[in-house]
């Protein structure tokens, strides 16, 4: 049962189509051939480390940069020919970029004022939008005196009030503290579902990406590493980069003996992965929380607990075997220095192709 | 202890404020003086305000200053802002290069900029006047705008413009609705700076103007011979205007902000007004420009006469009368010394009629700058005091018509100076009884004249030995008498009775005596400088008939009377001279001085080498002041 499959039914029509997109700054290639389809009503996240090109992709969609090569289609139309102020896209900037000389109301009304919309209608729309982001009563406030979270909501309202087909959000939660961040994540998701438009969300926080998105696009160095649902990305990372970047993991080289049979650290394990060549060299991803600590005699692997760190909900142990160190998360307490066994169920083992570096 | 500090701080602030504002208050105060003095308040009146309004040259200078300041401020603000914005987006190397180049005009001494611009306009054969002055002001104001806007551009979040376009603003709307409001403080500071720089510029304007276009600073500078409280009146008006503007600038935005925050919808109207404001600003520029142009061109089609005279040396209403009478246009410009007039002529500036002094005339004749007077047109020739026609600077009497004349003497306080001591002649300036009680006139030739006469030599001697002796005389006087070397402020100081005696020109002496009845004037028996300023026609003059008519006009008896009343020197017109001697200045020894002493001389042209020698000695006299 693939949950992505169900969602795929819902998000059907492609709204933005990116084909073979590259971008060079001077002699530096920042994007190296991006292919991506973005659908209506989709909450799509671009996830990747700092400097991988996330903002650049957004800026190309918004029209602040031109692609060096490749195509960007919006509802089948070539987007590059349309100037940014005519695109049906709005942006929430990385640092909000609110207009400091205007108050909250005028910031939100900025786009509508430009379109010479009737004043009554502007008032109605702005008021409604401020209600949606929970800022009713803040109309006359000076934006520079708002808290980070409030500013962020003004930025969202300012963009959304124009009823764009696609909303681009560039790390909008980057400046917030952990608690507010959590709250805003929920709120953003709620807003997206309420207005029912496409969100392209940029973050380098994997947890944020996983908890909010319909689709996650993992980027590194201008190249897409994997596109998939959060669950896919987490459970079935396609390569070492994704596995490393999404959550913590133990990555171990091994050999695929047969369908559903893998061997690493001289032990054979039953798994669920199929379709590899016989004896193909692969890599195995083991999430720390999937490794179960058992009695010595029941363990497929054996080792000694050499380190213990309390992480809040769970403990993190390093278990040293004669081949390597395993990182294990569990809520049980074990003394340092004792010998333990470790077990892996078939669906705890994720086999992926070895990356050619 | 805290309290003590408080008092100290208050005292300090009070002193600072006094230092800043007292001079301004004094200026304003004396604009209401009923007499001409800048130091003695004799009564309250609006006399100088009336005079100001009726003084065409000051009013047109005000117009020139203000219109140029406004236009150049608007244009340089636009240029500077665009440049600053553009600069922030260009490559680093180009940016640094331009910013450095931009600092050039700011750091350069004004005089360098001025001469550069003068040469620039000359080489392009652009006629000096309003337009070159305007262009120059734009040129030197723009860097100030760039310097004050650029840091604001750099600090601005560049995504703001993107944010505006993202919300549907065209690039131009992004500029007007977001970028410019963001840069407003910087633009505003730059604008104020540009406005003040332009309004009080003297050096650059002085060098690039011509054709009678003068701004306030040029008029005031050329007036320095006799500053009168009209300038105080003008300053007072300017101060009031500036204060009102500053108050408006500081108060109106505060009020607007209040309204803006309370309606929450003011933005719409604000955005609307921006366009209107741009239109308004361009309107102002256009109107002022056209007005300035027509001002420059007024009288087009009529015959034009260019007159170059010393400052405050004519009653300008006479110019209007002349224009009406001969249906012509007079372009009138002033200089502050014979030497600066000569420099201007050398720079290629062309005039029709000049009013130089004796020795300078000799030089101009020698260097063939002049053309002969057409005596058939000088029907008033006989109005002139007979003996003024015989002189050494124009021995054949071909080129010159006398204008004003006089001698150099000593004005003294009768209550302090012993009548008998006057017999010492110039040597009274060495009489230690009056140590620390003497004003010398800060003029190289007149000071040497005094020393040479005292030693019994000719003031036109070519002997370096005699000059050396005169130098020693001056040094001795300096060391034993502690004289103060002053300029035209001598008049106010003597009226106030600050010292016992002063070397003055007879015309100035007459004025001083009229204001303070304790004063009197005498001409030393050893002889003195008998000077005469004349009207001459340059060889460049094409309107020779008109030029001769002008000179003849100034010799009319009623004209010269009006003129004398304004200028206060001894007129070359006999009837006027006698009338003042026997009436207004009756009993005033400085008026109509007895210039029958055979030892009196008139300055002759000095050869360059001697002049330099003399100048270096004079510098030494002044530089070792105790
Ligand atoms: N205008 C530009 N000129 C030159 N290089 C640029 C420009 N804009 C971005 N880059 C470079 O392109 C690369 C990608 O930048 P981008 O801003 O897209 O990264 P990002 O993924 O958004 O990073 P972050 O998470 O830190 O915001 C970086 O190496 C950056 O230095
Ligand atoms: Mg970024």
């Amino acid at each position: 049962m693939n949950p992505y499959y169900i969602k795929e039914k819902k998000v059907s029509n492609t709204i933005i189509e990116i084909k073979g997109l590259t971008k060079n700054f001077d002699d530096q290639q920042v994007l190296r051939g991006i292919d991506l389809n973005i659908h209506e009503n989709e909450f799509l996240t671009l996830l990747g480390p700092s400097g991988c090109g996330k903002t650049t992709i957004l800026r190309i969609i918004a029209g602040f940069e031109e692609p060096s090569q490749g195509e960007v289609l919006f509802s089948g139309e070539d987007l590059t020919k349309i100037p940014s102020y005519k695109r049906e896209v709005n942006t929430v900037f990385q640092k909000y970029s609110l207009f400091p000389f205007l108050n909250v109301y005028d910031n939100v009304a900025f786009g509508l004022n430009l379109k010479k919309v009737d004043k009554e209608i502007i008032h109605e729309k702005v008021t409604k939008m401020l209600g949606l982001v929970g800022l009713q009563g803040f109309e006359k406030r000076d934006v520079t005196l708002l808290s980070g979270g409030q500013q962020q909501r003004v930025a969202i309202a300012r963009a959304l009030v124009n009823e764009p087909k696609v909303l681009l959000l560039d790390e909008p939660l980057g400046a917030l503290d952990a608690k507010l961040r959590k709250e805003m994540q929920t709120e953003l998701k709620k807003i997206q579902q309420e207005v029912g438009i496409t969100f392209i969300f940029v973050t380098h926080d994997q947890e944020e990406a996983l908890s909010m998105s319909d689709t996650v696009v993992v980027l590194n160095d201008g190249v897409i590493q994997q596109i998939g649902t959060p669950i896919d990305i987490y459970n079935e990372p396609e390569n070492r980069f994704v596995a490393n970047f999404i959550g913590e993991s133990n990555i171990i080289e091994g050999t695929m003996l047969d369908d559903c049979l893998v061997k690493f650290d001289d032990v054979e394990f039953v798994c669920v992965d199929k379709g590899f060549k016989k004896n193909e060299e692969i890599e195995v991803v083991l999430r720390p929380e999937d490794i179960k600590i058992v009695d010595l005699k029941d363990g497929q692997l054996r080792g000694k607990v050499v380190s213990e760190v309390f992480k809040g909900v769970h403990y993190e142990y390093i278990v040293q075997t004669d081949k390597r160190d395993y990182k294990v998360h569990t809520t049980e307490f074990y003394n340092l220095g004792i010998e333990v066994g470790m077990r892996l169920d078939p669906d705890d083992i994720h086999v992926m192709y070895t990356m050619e570096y | 202890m805290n309290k003590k500090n408080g008092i100290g701080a208050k005292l300090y602030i009070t002193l600072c404020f006094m230092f800043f504002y007292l001079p301004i208050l004094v200026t304003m105060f004396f604009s209401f003086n009923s007499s001409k003095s800048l130091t003695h308040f004799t009564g309250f009146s609006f006399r100088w305000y009336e005079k100001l309004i009726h003084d065409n040259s000051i009013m047109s200078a005000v117009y020139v200053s203000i219109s140029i300041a406004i236009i150049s401020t608007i244009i340089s603000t636009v240029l500077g802002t665009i440049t600053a914005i553009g600069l922030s987006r260009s490559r680093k190397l180009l940016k640094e290069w331009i910013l450095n180049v931009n600092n050039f005009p700011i750091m350069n001494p004004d005089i360098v900029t001025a001469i550069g611009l003068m040469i620039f306009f000359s080489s392009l054969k652009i006629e000096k006047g309003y337009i070159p002055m305007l262009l120059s002001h734009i040129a030197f104001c723009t860097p100030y705008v760039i310097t004050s806007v650029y840091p604001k551009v750099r600090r601005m979040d560049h995504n703001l413009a993107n944010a505006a376009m993202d919300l549907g603003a065209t690039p131009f709307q992004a500029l007007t609705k977001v970028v410019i409001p963001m840069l407003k403080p910087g633009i505003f500071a730059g604008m104020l700076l540009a406005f003040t720089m332009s309004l009080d510029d003297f050096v650059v304007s002085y060098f690039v103007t011509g054709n009678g276009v003068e701004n306030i600073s040029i008029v005031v500078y050329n007036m320095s011979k006799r500053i009168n409280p009209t300038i105080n009146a003008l300053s007072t008006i300017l101060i009031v205007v500036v204060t009102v503007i500053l108050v408006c600038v500081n108060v109106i935005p505060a009020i607007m902000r209040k309204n803006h925050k309370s309606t929450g919808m003011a933005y719409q109207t604000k955005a609307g007004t921006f366009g209107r404001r741009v239109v308004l600003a361009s309107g102002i520029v256009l109107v002022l420009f056209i007005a300035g142009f027509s001002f420059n061109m007024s009288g087009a089609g009529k015959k034009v006469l260019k007159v170059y005279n010393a400052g405050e040396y004519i009653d300008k209403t006479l110019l209007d009368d002349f224009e009406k009478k001969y249906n012509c246009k007079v372009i009138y410009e002033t200089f502050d010394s014979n030497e600066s007039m000569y420099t201007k002529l050398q720079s290629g500036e062309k005039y029709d009629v000049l009013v130089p002094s004796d020795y300078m005339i000799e030089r101009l004749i020698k260097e063939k700058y002049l053309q002969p007077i057409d005596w058939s047109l000088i029907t008033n020739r006989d109005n002139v005091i007979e003996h003024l026609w015989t002189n050494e600077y124009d021995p054949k009497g071909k080129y010159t018509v006398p204008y004003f004349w006089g001698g150099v003497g000593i004005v003294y306080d009768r209550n302090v100076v012993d009548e008998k001591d006057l017999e010492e002649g110039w040597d009274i300036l060495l009489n230690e009884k009056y140590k620390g009680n003497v004003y010398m006139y800060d003029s190289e030739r007149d000071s040497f004249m005094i020393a040479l006469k005292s030693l019994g030599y000719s003031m036109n001697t070519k002997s370096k030995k005699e000059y050396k002796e005169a130098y020693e005389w001056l040094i001795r006087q300096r060391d034993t008498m502690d004289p103060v070397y002053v300029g035209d402020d001598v008049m106010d100081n003597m009226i106030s009775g600050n010292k016992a005696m002063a070397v003055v020109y007879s015309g100035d002496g007459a004025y001083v005596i009229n204001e303070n009845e304790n004063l009197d004037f005498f001409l030393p028996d050893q002889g003195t400088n008998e000077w005469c300023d004349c009207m001459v026609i340059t060889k460049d003059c094409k309107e020779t008939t008109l030029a001769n008519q002008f000179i003849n006009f100034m010799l009319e008896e009623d004209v010269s009377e009006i003129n004398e009343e304004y200028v206060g020197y001894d007129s070359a017109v006999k009837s006027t001279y006698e009338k003042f001697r026997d009436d207004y200045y009756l009993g005033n020894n400085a008026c109509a001085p007895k210039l029958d002493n055979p030892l009196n001389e008139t300055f002759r042209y000095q050869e360059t080498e001697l002049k330099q020698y003399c100048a270096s000695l004079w510098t030494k006299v002044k530089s070792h002041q105790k």
Side-chain angles (χ1 to χ4, degrees), chain B residues 318-331:
Chain B
L318 296 172
L319 297 175
D320 301 338
D321 296 346
F322 178 76
E323 282 181 338
K324 264 182 222 125
K325 186 163 173 186
Y326 290 93
N327 187 29
C328 64
K329 159 100 187 130
V330 176
I331 294 177

Side-chain angles (χ1 to χ4, degrees), chain A residues 85 90-91 97 105-106 113, chain B residues 157 165-167 169 261 264 268:
Chain A
Y85 56 91
N90 283 111
T91 310
S97 297
Y105 181 96
D106 289 332
N113 275 325
Chain B
D157 173 4
M165 288 196 271
D166 186 75
L167 294 167
K261 296 246 154 109
Q268 184 72 28

